[in-house]
Amino acid sequence: MAAPSQPHKSTYDVIVIGAGIQGSFTAYHLAQRHKDTLLLEQYLLPHSRGSSHGQSRIIRSAYPQEYYSRMMPDCFRRWQQLEAETGTTLYRQTGLVLLGPPGEPELEACRRSLGVDEVLDAAALAQHFPGFRLQAGQVAVLDSTAGVLFADRALRAVQEVFRRHGGTLRDGEKVLRIEPGATVTVTTTAGVYKAPRLIITAGAWTGAFVEQLGLRLPLQPLRIDVCYWREKQPGSAGLGSVTPCFLTLGLSQAPHGIYGLPSIEYPGLMKVCHHHGSPTDPEKRDQAPSSAPCPDIAVLSSFISSYLPGLETQPAVMETCLYTNTPDEDFILDRHPKFSNIVIGAGFSGHGFKLAPVVGKLLCELSLGEEPSYNMAHFAITRFPGVLGAAQ
């Protein structure tokens, strides 16, 4: 992906491994700070083998955890800044309906994070989302700021600005070896690069990279089924482009949560997914799954029968994506405990895309030895015991 006029140099200020949305925003911030930055990607771009592809992601202000909700105004501003820098629309405001049992702790925490008092019953919700059938005794909270990020377009946009600021992006280069030291040496299938700082944002491949560095992080890659469901009668489910996104919290029939986005990617199809998946090896994610019925599809079919009766109960289109989960589903944003010039961003657990502008800023700050803009206690490697057990 490097421009033909760029020399194939070997020494940089910073090397970033992994050109998904987190690595790309990290490199973007470094380049804006006038750091000579190399961004490495193992696959030819664009590709669909990681966690950042696809056309849509939810962005929202509402979060149960205060440390994320405090970051969201900054995220919205930075997404708008990227839109202005590239002249590209990256966000469509649709609103978001959060639903669950009344008094559900996470739903209440989201309501508080929005600063709203109102909860919606079935009749009130129908005004915002006519195709949605709220079940007896359940309530909803509306996040009117929320909407859809156009993911593929966003990834291209941030990489474009990175290169515009002098950054070097090399795709189709798989990293083979990392040698720590005052100067870190990174060997790829196409060359050897050196820098005093390294940042690893390699998604589902991060665990294998940090094992080379004596670190065993509890990262679990999951293969996620991304499902699109057809209207029974065109127009009957009210799936116009202004339909809100939705997110369930605390439903007994969906303990991991279900989320949905309006008909944007495929006309007449709504994206409804289970926030859960099957453990996988990222190198083998494209292998055909077993013929056994998928429990996640069964959960979704049951949910759609009850809550979205205007949709068919079997998916019309199925795609796959990778999550990389931590046990607590909080991110890892930290320096290596032994090699302080190596920074790790990992474990985005299926909810990191919207936060990438701020994640990239934090990883940039960590790498440059600056005081991070936010409290990093929830993202520390040391919250997991025994991670240095394999240290060399």
Side-chain angles (χ1 to χ4, degrees), residues 82-103:
L82 183 61
E83 284 187 317
E85 286 177 307
T86 58
T88 306
T89 300
L90 302 177
Y91 162 67
R92 179 178 295 171
Q93 186 172 356
T94 64
L96 169 74
V97 172
L98 302 114
L99 61 112

Side-chain angles (χ1 to χ4, degrees), residues 48-216:
S48 59
R49 302 185 61 81
S51 303
S52 295
H53 65 282
Q55 295 179 52
S56 61
R57 297 291 189 281
I58 294 174
I59 182 170
R60 54 190 161 110
S61 296
Y63 247 106
Q65 300 91 347
E66 187 184 2
Y67 42 95
Y68 292 121
S69 63
R70 280 199 303 266
M71 294 177 181
M72 286 314 303
D74 194 4
C75 289
F76 274 100
R77 283 193 300 270
R78 291 178 183 278
W79 281 116
Q80 290 165 359
Q81 178 185 335
L82 183 61
E83 284 187 317
E85 286 177 307
T86 58
T88 306
T89 300
L90 302 177
Y91 162 67
R92 179 178 295 171
Q93 186 172 356
T94 64
L96 169 74
V97 172
L98 302 114
L99 61 112
E104 200 281 328
E106 288 199 335
L107 186 62
E108 281 298 296
C110 285
R111 185 182 62 78
R112 289 193 299 271
S113 77
L114 292 169
V116 300
D117 296 323
E118 182 185 15
V119 295
L120 308 178
D121 60 13
L125 178 61
Q127 297 178 14
H128 297 281
F129 201 161
F132 203 93
R133 182 186 293 165
L134 198 61
Q135 302 301 292
Q138 295 176 352
V139 296
V141 172
L142 180 64
D143 178 352
S144 60
T145 69
V148 176
L149 287 170
F150 302 130
D152 283 343
R153 196 184 294 176
L155 187 60
R156 289 194 302 270
V158 69
Q159 291 170 354
E160 175 191 328
V161 177
F162 165 65
R163 287 183 300 213
R164 195 188 298 167
H165 283 273
T168 301
L169 172 53
R170 297 200 176 278
D171 61 352
E173 288 200 34
K174 185 178 179 66
V175 172
L176 303 175
R177 188 167 63 255
I178 299 168
E179 298 168 59
T183 297
V184 182
T185 302
V186 177
T187 303
T188 75
T189 49
V192 178
Y193 306 99
K194 295 179 182 291
R197 303 175 185 90
L198 173 68
I199 303 172
I200 301 173
T201 51
W205 290 264
T206 299
F209 280 131
V210 300
E211 278 195 16
Q212 296 181 36
L213 304 170
L215 203 55
R216 291 193 182 276

Side-chain angles (χ1 to χ4, degrees), residues 88-344:
T88 306
T89 300
L90 302 177
Y91 162 67
R92 179 178 295 171
Q93 186 172 356
T94 64
L96 169 74
V97 172
L98 302 114
L99 61 112
E104 200 281 328
E106 288 199 335
L107 186 62
E108 281 298 296
C110 285
R111 185 182 62 78
R112 289 193 299 271
S113 77
L114 292 169
V116 300
D117 296 323
E118 182 185 15
V119 295
L120 308 178
D121 60 13
L125 178 61
Q127 297 178 14
H128 297 281
F129 201 161
F132 203 93
R133 182 186 293 165
L134 198 61
Q135 302 301 292
Q138 295 176 352
V139 296
V141 172
L142 180 64
D143 178 352
S144 60
T145 69
V148 176
L149 287 170
F150 302 130
D152 283 343
R153 196 184 294 176
L155 187 60
R156 289 194 302 270
V158 69
Q159 291 170 354
E160 175 191 328
V161 177
F162 165 65
R163 287 183 300 213
R164 195 188 298 167
H165 283 273
T168 301
L169 172 53
R170 297 200 176 278
D171 61 352
E173 288 200 34
K174 185 178 179 66
V175 172
L176 303 175
R177 188 167 63 255
I178 299 168
E179 298 168 59
T183 297
V184 182
T185 302
V186 177
T187 303
T188 75
T189 49
V192 178
Y193 306 99
K194 295 179 182 291
R197 303 175 185 90
L198 173 68
I199 303 172
I200 301 173
T201 51
W205 290 264
T206 299
F209 280 131
V210 300
E211 278 195 16
Q212 296 181 36
L213 304 170
L215 203 55
R216 291 193 182 276
L217 296 180
L219 297 172
Q220 177 58 69
L222 299 176
R223 182 184 187 273
I224 305 296
D225 292 314
V226 181
C227 302
Y228 299 83
W229 310 74
R230 191 182 307 280
E231 293 176 288
K232 291 178 179 176
Q233 297 293 329
S236 64
L239 298 186
S241 61
V242 294
T243 302
C245 303
F246 74 85
L247 177 65
T248 72
L249 296 167
L251 295 188
S252 58
Q253 63 266 55
H256 298 283
I258 291 172
Y259 62 92
L261 293 87
S263 177
I264 290 175
E265 297 174 58
Y266 299 104
L269 302 185
M270 187 172 186
K271 183 177 181 177
V272 183
C273 306
H274 197 199
H275 190 70
H276 187 56
S278 307
T280 191
D281 178 339
E283 296 289 349
K284 300 177 181 177
R285 61 165 283 190
D286 293 327
Q287 293 182 358
S290 68
S291 58
C294 175
D296 293 314
I297 302 301
V299 168
L300 289 170
S301 295
S302 174
F303 176 85
I304 283 169
S305 295
S306 299
Y307 289 84
L308 291 160
L311 299 181
E312 300 283 356
T313 56
Q314 291 300 313
V317 176
M318 285 181 60
E319 299 171 347
T320 62
C321 189
L322 290 177
Y323 286 5
T324 306
N325 279 32
T326 62
D328 56 15
E329 296 191 3
D330 283 330
F331 311 156
I332 292 172
L333 309 172
D334 205 353
R335 298 182 183 93
H336 190 292
K338 186 176 178 184
F339 308 115
S340 62
N341 60 341
I342 298 177
V343 170
I344 300 159

